[in-house]
Amino acid sequence: MQNLAPPASLWRPSGATKIELLASATVALVCVGLIVYPLFFLLAESINVGDPQTFPPKDIGIDNFIDLSLDLTVLLNTAYVAIAATAMAIAAGFVLAWILTRTNVPGKALLERLLEIPFYLTPLVGALAWSILAAPKSGFLNQLLVTVVGVSDLLDIYTPFGIAWVMALFEGTVAFVMISAVMKSMDPSLEESSRVTGAGKLRTLFKITLPLVLPGLLGAIVFVFAEMLGSFAAALVLGLPGRFFVVTTAIWQYTLSYPPEYGKASALGLALFGVMFATLSFYRWMVRRGTFATISGKAFQPRPIDMGRARYGLAAICWLYVFVAVILPIAALLLTSCLRFATVIVDQMSFTLQNYETALTLDAVRSALTNSLELGIGVATVGVFVMAVLVWIIYRSRLPGRGAVEYVVMFPQSVPRMVFGLALLTAWLNIPIPLYGTLWVLAIAYFTVLMPLGVRTLSGVVLQIDKSLEECAQVCGATWAYRMRTITVPLLRPGLVAAWLLIFIASVREIGVSIYLMGPNSKVIAPAIVSSWSSAGTELTAAMAMIQTAAVLLAVLLLLSLTAKYFKGA
Amino acid sequence: MSANLQPMIAVSDLVVSYGNYVAVKGISFDVRQGEHITLLGPSGCGKTTTLRSIAGLERPTRGSILLDGKPVFSADQRINVPVEKRGISMVFQSYAIWPHMTVFDNVAYGLRVRGLPQKEIEAKASQALDLVQLRHAADRPASKLSGGQQQRVALGRAIAFSPSIILFDEPLSNLDAKLRASMRIELKELQHRLGISSVYVTHDQEEALAISDRVIVMNDGKIEQIGTPDEIYSRPANGFVADFVGSANILPGTIVGPASDHELTVFQLNTGARLNTRASTNSSGAATTVAVRTALIDIRRGFGHRDDRNALEGQVLRRLFHGDFVEYFVNCQGHRVTVRRPPTDIIAEGEEVTLLFSPEHAVLLER
Amino acid sequence: MRQRILGLVGAASIFGLVAGNGQAQNAVCPSPNEVAGFRTCANIAKAEQEGKLVIYSTDVEQGQAKIVAAFSASFPKIKPTYVRALSASLYAKLQSERQAGQYLADLVNVDVVLANDFLKKNGYARYVSPQMAAFRSEFKSKPEGYFTWAQLAVAAIAYNPRLLAADQAPKAWGDILNPKYAGTMNVKSSNSGVQHFVWYTVREVMGKDFWKSLASQKPKAFDSYVQQYDRIVNGEDKIVIGAQYSGYLEFKAKGAPLDFVFPDQGVPASPQVWGVIDKAPNPEAARLFLDWFLSPIGQKVMQEALFLNSPRDDAVPPPGGVAASQHKLLFPSDWDGFLGSKREFNTEWDRITGLR
């Protein structure tokens, strides 16, 4: 019997092949460079107490940080808004997650789809819409209340609570997703045994379900809080008129004046980064401790609780949320975009499509829209492949230092986008490579800040693939490249498609990083709308927002239909 | 097939550790050509680690592994051949069938990797499918198979490129009892027919005994005993092997001295009863227990039955009906002895009985 | 032979003929081209070869879009893009880029204070356009060719007559300090060049401490006149202080209920200053645009797009409005004082508008 083993002429001294080591090292170095390099510039700027525009800084000191501590208002504002927004997002997320994953509420599939829409709308569009709805004197809702109830100025969106409200509605989807995941992986027999002993549904909810999901809930709270700290768009649109600043808008304001106070902005940015970093480290520590006692090895499909008649009431709650977060804002924007000038006094209204005509002539729409879509497709395509390799290195290889690679790759999550944007601005302005002002610098920036998102999504898919599938290919004689091509990538395909879509949408709605790196020839949608908002007037901005939203939704629907077959993977 | 004196697999002083935890604590064994060896032991004994080390999926800390005379791992010579270059085949516990390919593509994978011409691939893969009786399902998507069929695909894939060595990692543990029983026979026939040297890992001692040429009993990272199934069963080296393989009574006592028949030794149980026992092959006279297989004890109603065998008297405490056999728990002067008998002439609980067993079946153990 | 060449070189230097790319032009070229209805010294073929143009301007985006569209209609081979921000922010961006050696912008439009700062830092490339002859010397840099006042933003007071009856509305600068208007007015932020101009010129007339008292009126600050007018049209506020006449005309044309007040003490006319940038990536296109923009044709397009007043001697009023010269215009009598007052303005104005 001949031994048909492939030629065993290359006896390697170590476990990994040279290619694998080289690939891993290159990727790790590139990632470190992309992330650490701009932060170094940020640090340099923050200790610059001389002329803000000289680099490297000549006068160094910590005055910027000392000034920060005197400016407690901004820090307190940020804390208040972040806490309020987190509380609302978690409360809504918990209720909705419980209703949609554990009860037999009618129309579940449709509701789940609809609840994704606030994410697509972006907090910028949400803030614009709610400023139309709830401005103290002119807001639609206030006008309605005046006629119906006779009380004026009831709702004021230009308050810290208003900002938190918009943040919770449009950035709080992540809370819903995280809590749903925890609820879905709960062992249903834990609840069932409670009901068997006679406890009612509500009692079970509070005495059994809630304590069991508490660890996962705490994780979601910490994570959402970190996200809210770095939020920018809502605070910009709703805070500036009342001169209410949070850290991100304060940083923005510092860089807008002449001479620009980059030192103060950088110091503030580093402070925010420090807090976010600490918060997310705490989150990681919580997760590592394995407090997820509810998650068992098997995949459950928990049986939904039959709520009887009450399920219509629950459906109503869900629809109310959809109404407040999706229908009302879009309706308000649609109406406003068709007005000649923004007024709520009905007899003054005159309708026109002129705003759309004008919007389409603006760079902010024309070139920005194409740029954003181009960037989205480019970053998602390249990103997905690179991130797949990264995920493989971290979770499936035996390469040394893969723990460090994981840490570095997830690091951008701790850096608030605005701060990272400022760091990138300083970094890219000051290096001899002429990338500043082009779409390339935006592509690099998007790729860097979206790495955690892509890696997280893909790792979920990778971890579902049994190791033995790859090991078996190895045993059959397949090299790393052959295995990747024939086994790993095909099995990952549905996950790759999902990650692609996610990265695409995330880059199209990106604002924090883009707002600093936009140049005359590299405008992108979200920041372009922001810069137009201050000079364009409400009705024109509403038209722009509608065009942006429609374009993105269309792109997503198109992509979903094209890739539908890839979702029916293994 | 000519007898080849060089072992197909030679494992020497293998140590595998993960950080501070040592999974395999220095073991050595050979696998001859065409032999079917089973690594048998409880979970955590290191058998799977050893198997995966031979495959290259684990990296040992010390020792060496030679395949057909060539070192694939040697700590001293700093050799570690990557998995894909070792040229051996493996069947995984979870079958590891690739769901996105057809049955044929699964089986042909190893052939394609080797870049064989298409005709040859067709021929060899079809041959393998024939051997596992899945030719009719060649074009079916692999995900739409039952457990037993997936098992066959895994096997077909393993033999397709005609390896001389196949490793089996508990391949039948996910099947139900009946299927397991029939599959193990098929495996054995296939292995014998193709003359493949195989290393088989299982915790099921029945399986190990049924199909192996030799059995390696492992416990806590060490080898307890290597031998043919009969040797392992009839002459266990120590209490662990006696207890783990088959069902045995381990009775404590002390050696008295040689019996009248000098081949035998007199052993006094702690209860006072005296037995004629057989010494283990390498006994040093310090044995403290005697092992008696439960299936080799005769049970008679009433006291007083005597012949040239050992006799113990007692009362039936409990009786369990297992279908193919009946299990009696008998109290012999304070010591509980278990007896397995065919399901005929069943004795009731509480009855007085005499247990009879020959000295051949009473084996002295060191520990 | 040599003498003749020397003579030619000498003649060339007298008439300052441009040689090569990017060199300063110290006088109007001897034979400007007449194209598309205006005269230009730019090299049109080269400009079309450059094919691009980047404008940094404080004008509102929809206005800029209309202007560049009109320019493109005449010169389809040149594709202009623009960046819009408030004066200070725009200048900050420009300076940061230049400091780092990145040159993206060809033309810049900022307020006159920052323009003078840019001039001091040698930021402008000198180009004497044949159109500059139609501008008074006070409306140009000295010497001419660095920057030119291409727009005048006349600013005073505006209000919504539906919310504030005409007899209740302020009529003079002093009226705005009346406590009955507290909480109903808005202004521009300290980053606005127009606001700085209004602040300085009005306090020359009304006294140095005039604006400080405005703090008790708790005005809200915004970055654009569009936002300011939006808010009095939809009822959030009632009065705009430092209201741009151009904004009033623009909104009135859409049918909004507005009234504009020209106080007798005088009306500030804040200049918007344009110039070609030194080391611009597309210098010929920039010159071509500037010539077009400063010409009667460009100025007309500008006025229709932005409703601002034109400083040209032969200017017509913006659509629906009156010519600037009809009213008493306020300019700083102490220009140096004005140019050096930015920091003082920032601090005082930030305090008035409640920004820390």
Side-chain angles (χ1 to χ4, degrees):
Chain A
M1 181 72 65
Q2 337 153 250
N3 186 345
L4 287 178
S9 52
L10 306 145
W11 303 86
R12 287 258 173 284
S14 63
T17 60
K18 277 217 183 94
I19 300 176
E20 289 174 350
L21 273 172
L22 195 66
S24 153
T26 318
V27 167
L29 268 168
V30 168
C31 291
V32 169
L34 283 179
I35 295 162
V36 170
Y37 171 69
L39 287 177
F40 156 73
F41 275 89
L42 193 71
L43 184 64
E45 267 305 324
S46 69
I47 53 176
N48 179 5
V49 290
D51 179 4
Q53 295 190 299
T54 53
F55 193 88
K58 294 206 175 59
D59 303 310
I60 300 182
I62 56 166
D63 291 351
N64 291 325
F65 289 98
I66 297 177
D67 284 343
L68 272 191
S69 51
L70 299 174
D71 202 359
L72 280 177
T73 339
V74 170
L75 300 170
L76 286 174
N77 289 347
T78 314
Y80 173 80
V81 165
I83 292 174
T86 308
M88 286 193 272
I90 294 287
F94 180 79
V95 169
L96 289 171
W98 183 78
I99 294 178
L100 284 171
T101 57
R102 308 313 308 278
T103 68
N104 62 341
V105 64
K108 212 182 272 201
L110 178 63
L111 278 169
E112 277 180 357
R113 279 282 90 80
L114 287 174
L115 282 171
E116 287 172 18
I117 297 187
F119 180 70
Y120 296 147
L121 281 183
T122 80
L124 175 64
V125 172
L128 286 170
W130 273 94
S131 69
I132 297 171
L133 283 170
K137 291 187 175 51
S138 60
F140 286 160
L141 293 177
N142 281 315
Q143 294 281 333
L144 198 65
L145 283 169
V146 166
T147 352
V148 168
V149 182
V151 185
S152 65
D153 294 13
L154 206 58
L155 303 170
D156 186 356
I157 200 72
Y158 295 112
T159 54
F161 183 78
I163 298 173
W165 168 258
V166 169
M167 277 165 63
L169 279 181
F170 296 92
E171 293 186 70
T173 330
V174 66
F176 167 68
V177 169
M178 285 180 85
I179 301 178
S180 294
V182 174
M183 291 225 180
K184 275 191 196 149
S185 55
M186 233 186 74
D187 183 349
S189 62
L190 296 172
E191 283 180 337
E192 283 165 0
S193 49
S194 157
R195 307 255 307 287
V196 157
T197 60
K201 292 171 197 138
L202 264 178
R203 196 190 171 88
T204 305
L205 170 65
F206 284 110
K207 284 230 159 348
I208 304 292
T209 316
L210 190 52
L212 278 173
V213 299
L214 204 57
L217 198 60
L218 282 174
I221 290 176
V222 171
F223 190 81
V224 170
F225 180 72
E227 294 279 304
M228 297 301 185
L229 279 179
S231 162
F232 172 66
L236 180 72
V237 171
L238 301 174
L240 244 52
R243 297 281 119 177
F244 176 84
F245 290 96
V246 296
V247 173
T248 47
T249 47
I251 293 175
W252 177 238
Q253 195 68 15
Y254 274 133
T255 58
L256 280 190
S257 54
Y258 184 76
E261 302 195 67
Y262 287 131
K264 286 221 183 81
S266 304
L268 199 53
L270 273 178
L272 183 66
F273 162 57
V275 172
M276 261 185 94
F277 182 74
T279 315
L280 281 172
S281 300
F282 179 60
Y283 169 74
R284 268 192 283 270
W285 175 80
M286 274 175 68
V287 170
R288 284 256 157 87
R289 287 232 307 169
T291 47
F292 294 100
T294 58
I295 297 180
S296 67
K298 303 189 194 141
F300 284 118
Q301 265 308 342
R303 263 185 307 282
I305 306 170
D306 185 357
M307 298 299 289
R309 287 277 188 84
R311 63 195 186 119
Y312 293 106
L314 293 177
I317 295 176
C318 292
W319 281 101
L320 181 66
Y321 186 87
V322 171
F323 182 70
V324 165
V326 177
I327 299 175
L328 205 55
I330 292 186
L333 279 177
L334 198 55
L335 178 64
T336 311
S337 66
C338 295
L339 292 175
R340 282 194 77 197
F341 54 89
T343 175
V344 196
I345 305 140
V346 184
D347 58 337
Q348 271 188 329
M349 283 187 189
S350 56
F351 293 94
T352 174
L353 285 177
Q354 179 66 36
N355 293 318
Y356 284 96
E357 241 185 88
T358 316
L360 289 169
T361 66
L362 300 179
D363 261 6
V365 170
R366 269 194 318 192
S367 66
L369 204 55
T370 35
N371 284 344
S372 284
L373 290 173
E374 252 178 61
L375 271 176
I377 293 175
V379 171
T381 311
V382 172
V384 151
F385 282 110
V386 175
M387 289 176 207
V389 172
L390 278 172
V391 166
W392 187 87
I393 289 175
I394 297 169
Y395 296 106
R396 278 281 184 265
S397 73
R398 308 281 178 88
L399 295 168
R402 62 185 187 277
V405 172
E406 181 188 11
Y407 188 77
V408 167
V409 156
M410 296 305 260
F411 194 75
Q413 213 172 10
S414 316
V415 186
R417 297 270 178 94
M418 274 231 74
V419 175
F420 202 65
L422 184 61
L424 281 169
L425 174 69
T426 328
W428 286 103
L429 266 182
N430 288 296
I431 57 169
I433 308 174
L435 279 186
Y436 173 76
T438 65
L439 282 177
W440 288 104
V441 73
L442 280 171
I444 293 173
Y446 283 4
F447 176 77
T448 316
V449 299
L450 293 178
M451 244 194 309
L453 178 69
V455 167
R456 220 179 323 134
T457 313
L458 283 172
S459 64
V461 178
V462 163
L463 288 173
Q464 275 177 10
I465 299 177
D466 195 359
K467 237 185 180 183
S468 63
L469 291 173
E470 288 175 326
E471 284 178 341
C472 190
Q474 242 181 328
V475 166
C476 282
T479 57
W480 179 79
Y482 193 87
R483 272 197 325 269
M484 276 278 138
R485 191 165 56 83
T486 53
I487 305 291
T488 320
V489 170
L491 284 175
L492 282 178
R493 218 197 331 244
L496 285 175
V497 172
W500 192 100
L501 275 172
L502 213 54
I503 298 174
F504 172 77
I505 293 167
S507 42
V508 164
R509 69 196 288 269
E510 216 291 319
I511 185 173
V513 163
S514 327
I515 206 163
Y516 277 118
L517 297 175
M518 245 186 11
N521 297 310
S522 57
K523 295 191 180 146
V524 284
I525 306 179
I529 294 186
V530 166
S531 79
S532 294
W533 160 72
S534 57
S535 73
T538 324
E539 65 282 1
L540 184 56
T541 314
M544 289 166 61
M546 289 304 304
I547 294 176
Q548 176 210 338
T549 312
V552 172
L553 278 176
L554 258 166
V556 169
L557 281 172
L558 193 69
L559 291 163
L560 274 177
S561 64
L562 279 176
T563 58
K565 59 175 179 141
Y566 287 111
F567 278 108
K568 297 182 189 141
Chain B
M1 210 145 330
S2 57
N4 191 342
L5 290 172
Q6 180 167 260
M8 214 47 199
I9 305 177
V11 175
S12 312
D13 304 318
L14 198 70
V15 175
V16 186
S17 54
Y18 305 105
N20 288 336
Y21 172 63
V22 187
V24 177
K25 298 177 180 160
I27 61 172
S28 309
F29 62 90
D30 287 344
V31 180
R32 298 176 211 123
Q33 189 180 38
E35 210 183 0
H36 180 108
I37 290 251
T38 298
L39 297 175
L40 173 69
S43 353
C45 70
K47 55 192 194 295
T48 303
T49 311
T50 306
L51 191 79
R52 285 169 66 88
S53 301
I54 299 174
L57 295 168
E58 303 289 343
R59 200 199 160 132
T61 328
R62 280 209 294 275
S64 72
I65 301 174
L66 278 78
L67 295 180
D68 203 8
K70 291 191 275 282
V72 295
F73 171 76
S74 167
D76 295 330
Q77 296 169 51
R78 297 165 68 69
I79 298 175
N80 189 13
V81 177
V83 179
E84 47 267 26
K85 301 258 186 282
R86 294 197 182 191
I88 54 182
S89 198
M90 187 159 166
V91 177
F92 288 79
Q93 186 174 7
S94 61
Y95 317 136
I97 301 298
W98 297 307
H100 61 292
M101 298 186 198
T102 62
V103 167
F104 184 86
D105 289 331
N106 265 278
V107 171
Y109 191 79
L111 299 164
R112 293 213 171 100
V113 163
R114 284 158 174 77
L116 297 178
Q118 183 61 22
K119 274 218 162 102
E120 227 182 303
I121 294 178
E122 292 259 354
K124 286 200 188 320
S126 305
Q127 204 177 32
L129 282 170
D130 276 335
L131 282 172
V132 296
Q133 293 139 45
L134 276 179
R135 187 70 177 277
H136 62 279
D139 291 318
R140 220 185 286 178
S143 50
K144 300 215 191 314
L145 297 172
S146 69
Q149 289 173 317
Q150 286 192 19
Q151 174 46 270
R152 290 166 197 271
V153 175
L155 192 55
R157 175 175 59 192
I159 61 174
F161 55 89
S162 314
S164 35
I165 301 171
I166 300 187
L167 307 175
F168 295 88
D169 186 4
E170 302 201 49
L172 305 181
S173 58
N174 289 344
L175 301 173
D176 64 68
K178 268 227 160 321
L179 203 49
R180 216 183 302 159
S182 62
M183 277 301 297
R184 71 167 86 115
I185 299 173
E186 272 192 54
L187 268 175
K188 176 69 181 178
E189 296 204 328
L190 205 55
Q191 177 257 336
H192 192 73
R193 177 137 60 117
L194 298 175
I196 299 171
S197 318
S198 55
V199 182
Y200 192 101
V201 160
T202 181
H203 60 269
D204 183 342
Q205 44 95 22
E206 213 183 291
E207 197 165 279
L209 294 177
I211 58 175
S212 314
D213 294 322
R214 278 190 300 153
V215 176
I216 301 177
V217 182
M218 288 181 69
N219 181 33
D220 195 27
K222 296 215 201 45
I223 293 181
E224 298 285 355
Q225 185 173 3
I226 304 181
T228 65
D230 182 44
E231 283 167 11
I232 301 283
Y233 185 80
S234 307
R235 280 183 283 283
N238 54 44
F240 175 81
V241 178
D243 195 28
F244 190 81
V245 180
S247 168
N249 294 290
I250 315 285
L251 306 168
T254 42
I255 295 181
V256 175
S260 45
D261 177 350
H262 287 277
E263 304 259 323
L264 303 173
T265 313
V266 177
F267 188 83
Q268 178 163 319
L269 297 177
N270 287 351
T271 59
R274 288 199 172 194
L275 307 171
N276 286 332
T277 64
R278 178 166 55 83
S280 204
T281 31
N282 51 353
S283 146
S284 61
T288 51
T289 58
V290 62
V292 189
R293 292 273 173 218
T294 59
L296 301 174
I297 303 177
D298 227 346
I299 189 168
R300 296 276 157 79
R301 286 191 178 79
F303 290 160
H305 301 277
R306 290 289 182 278
D307 52 24
D308 56 352
R309 294 184 285 182
N310 290 311
L312 285 176
E313 289 173 346
Q315 204 182 23
V316 176
L317 281 175
R318 190 160 303 288
R319 177 197 77 204
L320 293 176
F321 183 72
H322 285 268
D324 281 338
F325 63 90
V326 182
E327 201 169 27
Y328 297 101
F329 297 100
V330 181
N331 181 8
C332 296
Q333 292 154 296
H335 208 99
R336 201 169 84 160
V337 180
T338 311
V339 182
R340 286 191 184 184
R341 288 281 89 200
T344 54
D345 196 20
I346 298 173
I347 300 171
E349 289 175 3
E351 279 213 44
E352 293 174 337
V353 290
T354 309
L355 306 178
L356 297 163
F357 51 96
S358 103
E360 271 298 305
H361 299 149
V363 181
L364 285 177
L365 299 173
E366 311 279 297
R367 46 189 165 90
Chain C
M1 185 58 116
R2 209 203 289 160
Q3 278 211 328
R4 210 174 310 154
I5 293 171
L6 279 174
L8 275 171
V9 169
S13 63
I14 289 171
F15 291 105
L17 279 175
V18 177
N21 201 2
Q23 282 189 357
Q25 186 186 338
N26 295 320
V28 182
C29 56
S31 46
N33 296 313
E34 173 104 19
V35 59
F38 67 98
R39 293 192 311 155
T40 174
C41 285
N43 185 333
I44 299 174
K46 242 200 161 100
E48 290 186 332
Q49 213 180 23
E50 283 167 357
K52 290 205 291 277
L53 179 65
V54 177
I55 304 172
Y56 277 20
S57 165
T58 55
D59 291 331
V60 290
E61 193 166 345
Q62 31 315 8
Q64 292 204 47
K66 289 200 189 101
I67 292 171
V68 301
F71 178 75
S72 271
S74 299
F75 300 96
K77 292 207 187 117
I78 304 178
K79 307 243 177 306
T81 52
Y82 54 81
V83 173
R84 192 267 165 190
L86 214 49
S87 205
S89 326
L90 199 60
Y91 193 59
K93 191 177 167 72
L94 185 62
Q95 285 292 64
S96 304
E97 288 168 3
R98 292 178 73 78
Q99 212 128 33
Q102 311 262 9
Y103 302 98
L104 284 93
D106 301 308
L107 285 161
V108 65
N109 163 23
V110 283
D111 66 77
V112 66
V113 173
L114 293 175
N116 274 284
D117 188 68
F118 201 45
L119 179 63
K120 265 195 232 122
K121 295 198 166 102
N122 297 316
Y124 289 109
R126 188 154 183 230
Y127 168 65
V128 180
S129 160
Q131 303 296 335
M132 288 176 186
F135 290 79
R136 283 187 271 170
S137 64
E138 313 70 286
F139 294 166
K140 296 186 281 200
S141 59
K142 294 178 188 36
E144 69 171 6
Y146 290 104
F147 61 70
T148 315
W149 296 16
Q151 299 146 313
L152 278 180
V154 172
I157 304 167
Y159 65 91
N160 185 341
R162 297 266 190 116
L163 303 171
L164 201 57
D167 53 353
Q168 297 288 318
K171 306 273 183 314
W173 285 112
D175 291 346
I176 68 177
L177 293 178
N178 190 326
K180 70 177 177 183
Y181 300 128
T184 66
M185 53 179 59
N186 63 48
V187 294
K188 297 240 317 256
S189 73
S190 60
N191 287 333
S192 160
V194 171
Q195 192 63 71
H196 181 195
F197 194 89
V198 168
W199 171 80
Y200 192 88
T201 50
V202 169
R203 78 172 192 168
E204 273 190 334
V205 171
M206 304 294 296
K208 254 196 170 216
D209 292 332
F210 174 73
W211 290 106
K212 291 188 189 154
S213 324
L214 192 68
S216 53
Q217 300 289 59
K218 295 214 187 303
K220 297 200 194 66
F222 295 93
D223 285 342
S224 149
Y225 71 84
V226 175
Q227 287 176 315
Q228 291 179 296
Y229 278 99
D230 240 8
R231 287 174 67 92
I232 60 172
V233 166
N234 69 22
E236 290 292 332
D237 298 323
K238 294 191 185 144
I239 306 173
V240 179
I241 305 296
Q244 279 174 230
Y245 186 54
S246 59
Y248 162 73
L249 293 175
E250 185 185 326
F251 276 76
K252 200 111 178 97
K254 286 200 277 196
L258 289 171
D259 268 346
F260 197 84
V261 177
F262 289 94
D264 291 331
Q265 298 108 326
V267 171
S270 172
Q272 292 299 113
V273 180
W274 286 71
V276 177
I277 299 177
D278 180 45
K279 295 203 188 62
N282 309 294
E284 291 302 325
R287 293 172 183 173
L288 183 62
F289 182 88
L290 193 62
D291 288 331
W292 174 83
F293 194 60
L294 296 176
S295 75
I297 293 180
Q299 290 283 289
K300 183 159 185 289
V301 169
M302 182 274 292
Q303 288 186 302
E304 280 166 3
L306 292 168
F307 297 90
L308 286 165
N309 289 75
S310 165
R312 275 184 74 103
D313 290 335
D314 54 358
V316 295
V322 297
S325 42
Q326 292 267 354
H327 297 273
K328 178 173 177 211
L329 296 180
L330 293 176
F331 294 103
S333 48
D334 174 13
W335 269 97
D336 288 327
F338 170 58
L339 294 178
S341 66
K342 188 136 181 73
R343 209 154 265 257
E344 191 195 336
F345 165 67
N346 278 350
T347 321
E348 190 177 305
W349 201 254
D350 284 347
R351 217 176 292 135
I352 292 171
T353 55
L355 180 65
R356 68 200 55 162

